[in-house]
Amino acid sequence: MTGWFSFLHGEATAGDVLALARVERVLRDAGSAYDVVWSPGFRADGTHFADVDPAAYSRLVFVCGPVHGAQVEELHRRFAHCVRVAVGVSVVDAGSPAVTGFHRVLARDGAGNGPGLDLAARAPALPAVPVVGVVLTHGQHEYGGRRRHEEVAAVLTRWLAGRDCARLELETRLDAHDWRLCGTPAQLEAVLSRLDLVVTDRLHGLVLALRAGVPALAVDPVEGGAKVTAQARACGWPALVPAERLTKASAEGSAEGSAGGSAGSSAEGSAEGMLERWWDWCLADGRAEAARIGAGFRTAESVPDGVPDAADGLMAALREASEAAAGR
């Protein structure tokens, strides 16, 4: 089983991999054994063309994508002794060697017949995974030597890459001209409200997530704590990791790994352990807590958890400042 997801300089798209899953199910249901060849750039631990002995196979199935170009033609040469079938593919040039080299082409489109349903449409049902917004900052240079933004971002993004979740990079900055950014707070809140979790090292990443009733796994990127820590306390939100704990645990974990591990080391004390503990809490009890806090924000008659914001004292401050200025 091969496709564009198999080539070193090809690409693995979600549609291609789902198309593969559809064909795999057909082969499994028929009791046919098969191997899948993956690009080493996509699945380093998979079976690659460099590992494959063509003589060990009698049939080759090419799944999805356009049957066109030198890489497909090379398959015909390398697996010349095999029965070769293309399934769910686009035929760009019916007379090209990439197409004519197959014994059968079960085309999706472009073969002179009516278009067929893409294989991905009928792929097996997928497991539900959480949708996670990632809101990070690489600025805030006003904190000088206390900044741990780069280290925090490196730990978070490396960890997130290994989580089974749908990651959505978000930006709190608004822009009326860049289509990739939200132009109004309402647009950003519409996105946040549809998430399961927000991972952030920004004050407004935390606040806007809670305002939308969505749990936030927050990391304060400033050593010793700064505005993210202060805001988490003001909101009564517990899912907060200090920068120094995260980066220290990560460094110690790397050192233990290079030294062959430590019998006394604990996953709970590692950077991953801390993040995973709060991740699990956010996706369980944290949902109700975030909804409660968000509802409190929206209730104008009451102050959430008894903590005011600065606007509550604005009118008094204006009066006092005016009286003081008049008395000069």
Side-chain angles (χ1 to χ4, degrees):
M1 295 267 283
T2 181
W4 286 97
F5 49 80
S6 306
F7 299 139
L8 179 60
H9 300 296
E11 62 178 11
T13 70
D16 287 352
V17 175
L18 282 173
L20 171 65
R22 163 74 174 129
V23 176
E24 285 188 286
R25 182 168 63 181
V26 169
L27 293 179
R28 284 197 303 269
D29 288 348
S32 295
Y34 63 88
D35 290 323
V36 177
V37 178
W38 294 101
S39 165
F42 180 61
R43 291 195 177 169
D45 59 346
T47 298
H48 310 139
F49 275 128
D51 309 319
V52 168
D53 177 9
Y57 299 91
S58 60
R59 293 175 290 182
L60 179 143
V61 176
F62 186 91
V63 180
C64 199
V67 279
H68 179 79
Q71 291 167 299
V72 180
E73 293 175 23
E74 174 61 23
L75 286 179
H76 296 312
R77 288 189 288 270
R78 188 175 179 192
F79 293 86
H81 65 286
C82 290
V83 172
R84 299 178 301 282
V85 175
V87 56
V89 296
S90 293
V91 176
V92 180
D93 178 2
S96 75
V99 177
T100 60
F102 287 105
H103 295 88
R104 287 289 304 277
V105 175
L106 305 176
R108 172 183 58 194
D109 52 69
N113 302 318
L117 192 65
D118 184 77
L119 294 172
R122 294 177 59 201
L126 300 172
V129 297
V131 181
V132 179
V134 184
V135 186
L136 302 177
T137 177
H138 299 281
Q140 300 180 344
H141 294 280
E142 62 270 24
Y143 289 104
R146 296 170 61 203
R147 292 183 73 257
R148 297 294 179 269
H149 294 60
E150 286 74 17
E151 299 99 309
V152 164
V155 173
L156 281 176
T157 53
R158 183 172 61 249
W159 174 71
L160 281 168
R163 305 298 297 179
D164 187 13
C165 64
R167 294 167 289 275
L168 184 62
E169 185 177 14
L170 297 175
E171 174 59 70
T172 60
R173 181 171 63 87
L174 304 178
D175 193 314
H177 307 290
D178 188 339
W179 67 269
R180 295 166 296 184
L181 300 176
C182 293
T184 67
Q187 293 171 10
L188 180 58
E189 187 166 285
V191 176
L192 292 171
S193 65
R194 288 163 169 79
L195 302 177
D196 296 303
L197 174 64
V198 169
V199 174
T200 186
D201 66 356
R202 304 195 71 154
L203 179 152
H204 281 129
L206 167 63
V207 173
L208 298 182
L210 295 179
R211 174 185 164 87
V214 175
L217 197 173
V219 178
D220 193 324
V222 180
E223 185 173 348
K227 57 186 178 181
V228 175
T229 296
Q231 196 57 215
R233 291 173 180 168
C235 295
W237 185 249
L240 174 73
V241 179
E244 55 270 31
R245 285 195 62 196
L246 186 68
T247 56
K248 179 181 178 182
S250 177
E252 290 176 347
S254 298
E256 288 174 358
S258 62
S262 170
S265 63
S266 168
E268 178 66 19
S270 68
E272 292 76 11
M274 284 187 287
L275 293 171
E276 287 172 11
R277 179 168 66 89
W278 284 121
W279 173 283
D280 291 342
W281 181 85
C282 284
L283 292 176
D285 296 344
R287 293 178 186 269
E289 183 64 7
R292 184 189 70 80
I293 292 173
F297 289 165
R298 294 187 294 273
T299 304
E301 293 78 15
S302 64
V303 177
D305 294 327
V307 180
D309 65 18
D312 289 318
L314 176 60
M315 296 312 298
L318 286 172
R319 286 193 299 272
E320 292 168 2
S322 298
E323 291 169 358
R328 289 175 182 173

